[in-house]
Amino acid sequence: MAGTAARRDRTHYLYIAVIVAVILGVAVGFAAPGVAVELKPLGTGFVNLIKMMISPIIFCTIVLGIGSVRKAAKVGAVGGIALGYFTVMSLVALSIGLLVGNVLHPGDSLAVTDAVKEAGQGQVVAEAKDTVEFLLGIIPTTFVSAFTTGEVLQTLLVALLAGFALQAMGPAGQPVLRGVEHIQRLVFRILGMVMWAAPIGAFGAIAAVTGSAGLDALKSLAVLMLGFYVTCFLFVFIVLAALLRIIAGLNILTFFKYLGREFLLILSTSSSESALPRLIAKMEHLGVSKPVVGITVPTGYSFNLDGTMIYMTMASLFIADAMGDPMSLAEQIPLLLFLLVASKGAAGVSGAGLATLAGGLQSHRPELVDGVGLIVGIDRFMSEARALTNFAGNAVATVLIGTWTKEIDKERVDQVLAGLVPFDEKTLLDDASADPADPADRADAEPKGRPEAREGDKAAAGV
């Protein structure tokens, strides 16, 4: 045990290096802004490496989870509860954003120039889709194209179909499940290797952000930026914390401590996607069943964007005030409902926060699109809070849905959060250290590795 703990603990040097890289990135950004901006590809490259792993991880997780569940209705129940919860929380987040925006009125003193108008129009991208196009876009062109296009929901659909097919095959599908399990081990091992590039990615991303944003722009928009950060903080530590305590009986600080490395990774890359594979691995390690994790996490990354919801309503009111066209309450309610739908249609757009806002205003209030240019300068800084809040919302949602569906091992949760069952940072899998060729190891590993054990006897699964 001592040797294993020591081996796992080596990865803390990686995250110390990430912190040092962030500090160096800020220093370079202020000292040499021109050079710092050129470092942006370092951050982009690292995030792309993570995205490369998302589709295979989601596919393996869902197939292993659903393929082992004896009753298909259970999967449908999980999906229905998840979508219902996501809709309610999106409305709550949008409402909070409207409330704070009406209190602060941060855009009253700003002026919209021609340059700002051009910048705003430039954010209306052709990639933004209406609801029908978004729903049709979930269907991949071919079975394998879902893995090559990087569309999370397409991968989700293919994985659901494969999982249900294996479920219907019964014992004949067990060899396929075993094969998928081995592929999952390989994919997580590759991800563990990729994570060692995190300090380089963090350095490039933070340096570019610091170098490209001028202090003057930050000063004039500080009220909006600080108001947004405070609102996200209160949403997480009041709304989400209350739900986690009341429903799951967990302390949110203890829960977030368990996810501390993921938050650091998001903070340094401004992308919640960079932590998606690790969230899947950690939620399964925590004791949430594979079907719940496999459905809730990928779907939540498109439908449960609490930080983006708050951002969109606050930014919309900010722009309306700055354009000299403040919205009445009667105008705000339809905007809230419209943004609830529009945010789903643009979920797959790169730079989703700003692009979704611009696309939503273009469809609902086109005269306000020019004002989007006002927040281009600070959007990158606000994306930090968006990504952190989105990630926190999806992590909490996974535990809540696991609790509602009784697909969570509470004893395991207590042990993990107490540090008694450490997460294997090297492999990102609980059972990866077992040797499949060793009968003794297989006897210990199979209950955890084979998804069917979760359905029958959770105690035997060790989770």
Side-chain angles (χ1 to χ4, degrees):
M1 288 296 294
T4 302
R7 186 171 65 251
R8 290 171 178 170
D9 285 342
R10 288 180 196 168
T11 57
H12 77 276
Y13 294 115
L14 168 63
Y15 292 92
I16 292 174
V18 171
I19 295 173
V20 173
V22 169
I23 296 172
L24 290 176
V26 172
V28 171
F30 282 118
V35 175
V37 172
E38 298 299 321
L39 297 174
K40 184 177 180 180
L42 294 177
T44 303
F46 173 71
V47 174
N48 288 343
L49 282 173
I50 297 294
K51 289 182 178 180
M52 174 182 74
M53 309 304 300
I54 289 177
S55 289
I57 287 174
I58 289 175
F59 178 81
C60 292
T61 301
I62 295 176
V63 170
L64 287 173
I66 295 177
S68 67
V69 178
R70 293 187 177 90
K71 295 181 180 179
K74 179 178 291 187
V75 178
V78 171
I81 292 172
L83 290 176
Y85 172 81
F86 294 160
T87 301
V88 171
M89 291 308 296
S90 294
L91 283 172
V92 170
L94 286 167
S95 301
I96 291 174
L98 283 181
L99 176 63
V100 175
N102 280 299
V103 172
L104 293 180
H105 292 291
D108 289 343
S109 60
L110 292 179
V112 180
T113 64
D114 289 339
V116 166
K117 292 180 180 180
E118 292 178 5
Q121 291 289 346
Q123 300 303 317
V124 183
V125 294
E127 297 176 11
K129 307 171 185 177
D130 60 30
T131 304
V132 175
E133 291 175 326
F134 169 68
L135 293 174
L136 291 176
I138 296 176
I139 305 173
T141 304
T142 67
F143 188 87
V144 297
S145 66
F147 302 98
T148 60
T149 58
E151 293 286 346
V152 171
L153 291 181
Q154 289 186 2
T155 306
L156 178 64
L157 175 62
V158 171
L160 286 171
L161 294 175
F164 283 125
L166 286 170
Q167 182 186 72
M169 291 171 64
Q174 292 306 310
V176 180
L177 284 175
R178 294 293 293 174
V180 173
E181 179 187 346
H182 289 299
I183 293 174
Q184 185 190 48
R185 286 198 181 108
L186 171 64
V187 170
F188 273 114
R189 181 62 65 94
I190 295 173
L191 179 64
M193 296 164 60
V194 168
M195 289 306 302
W196 286 97
I200 299 174
F203 172 74
I206 293 296
V209 171
T210 307
S212 62
L215 288 177
D216 292 338
L218 296 182
K219 290 178 183 177
S220 63
L221 298 168
V223 174
L224 173 64
M225 192 164 63
L226 292 176
F228 177 63
Y229 266 78
V230 171
T231 304
C232 288
F233 180 86
L234 294 177
F235 175 81
V236 170
F237 288 98
I238 294 179
V239 178
L240 295 183
L243 288 173
L244 192 63
R245 168 62 74 179
I246 294 171
I247 297 172
L250 298 180
N251 182 287
I252 199 165
L253 295 178
T254 305
F255 182 57
F256 284 172
K257 181 182 177 182
Y258 172 63
L259 298 172
R261 294 185 175 185
E262 288 67 44
F263 280 112
L264 175 60
L265 184 63
I266 294 169
L267 184 65
S268 59
T269 61
S270 295
S271 171
S272 59
E273 286 187 338
S274 63
L276 187 152
R278 290 180 58 87
L279 179 61
I280 290 175
K282 280 204 162 182
M283 288 298 99
E284 289 186 9
H285 176 77
L286 185 67
V288 184
S289 72
K290 283 181 179 290
V292 171
V293 174
I295 293 172
T296 303
V297 175
T299 308
Y301 263 68
S302 288
F303 290 92
N304 188 40
L305 306 174
D306 297 329
T308 303
M309 298 296 101
I310 296 172
Y311 166 84
M312 288 172 66
T313 46
M314 287 186 66
S316 297
L317 294 182
F318 168 84
I319 291 169
D321 290 342
M323 296 287 291
D325 186 18
M327 296 187 208
S328 65
L329 182 61
E331 293 174 312
Q332 291 176 23
I333 300 302
L335 175 67
L336 181 150
L337 298 176
F338 177 81
L339 291 177
L340 178 65
V341 177
S343 63
K344 310 302 183 271
V349 178
S350 177
L354 206 57
T356 302
L357 174 65
L361 291 177
Q362 174 69 21
S363 301
H364 190 69
R365 292 287 300 274
E367 70 275 12
L368 296 180
V369 174
D370 289 343
V372 174
L374 286 168
I375 60 175
V376 170
I378 63 166
D379 178 73
R380 180 70 182 191
F381 286 92
M382 296 173 74
S383 72
E384 306 277 359
R386 278 202 308 267
L388 291 169
T389 306
N390 290 343
F391 178 81
N394 284 313
V396 170
T398 306
V399 174
L400 296 183
I401 293 169
T403 302
W404 283 325
T405 58
K406 295 181 172 57
E407 288 290 311
I408 186 171
D409 188 333
K410 294 186 177 180
E411 182 179 349
R412 167 82 172 194
V413 171
D414 293 338
Q415 291 176 344
V416 170
L417 295 184
L420 300 178
V421 185
F423 180 71
D424 192 337
E425 291 286 349
K426 184 177 180 181
T427 64
L428 305 183
L429 283 174
D430 295 337
D431 58 341
S433 59
D435 182 2
D438 186 336
D441 277 347
R442 290 187 63 180
D444 292 334
E446 280 188 358
K448 290 186 285 185
R450 292 175 60 189
E452 61 268 24
R454 177 90 66 180
E455 177 72 13
D457 184 2
K458 292 183 179 180
V463 292

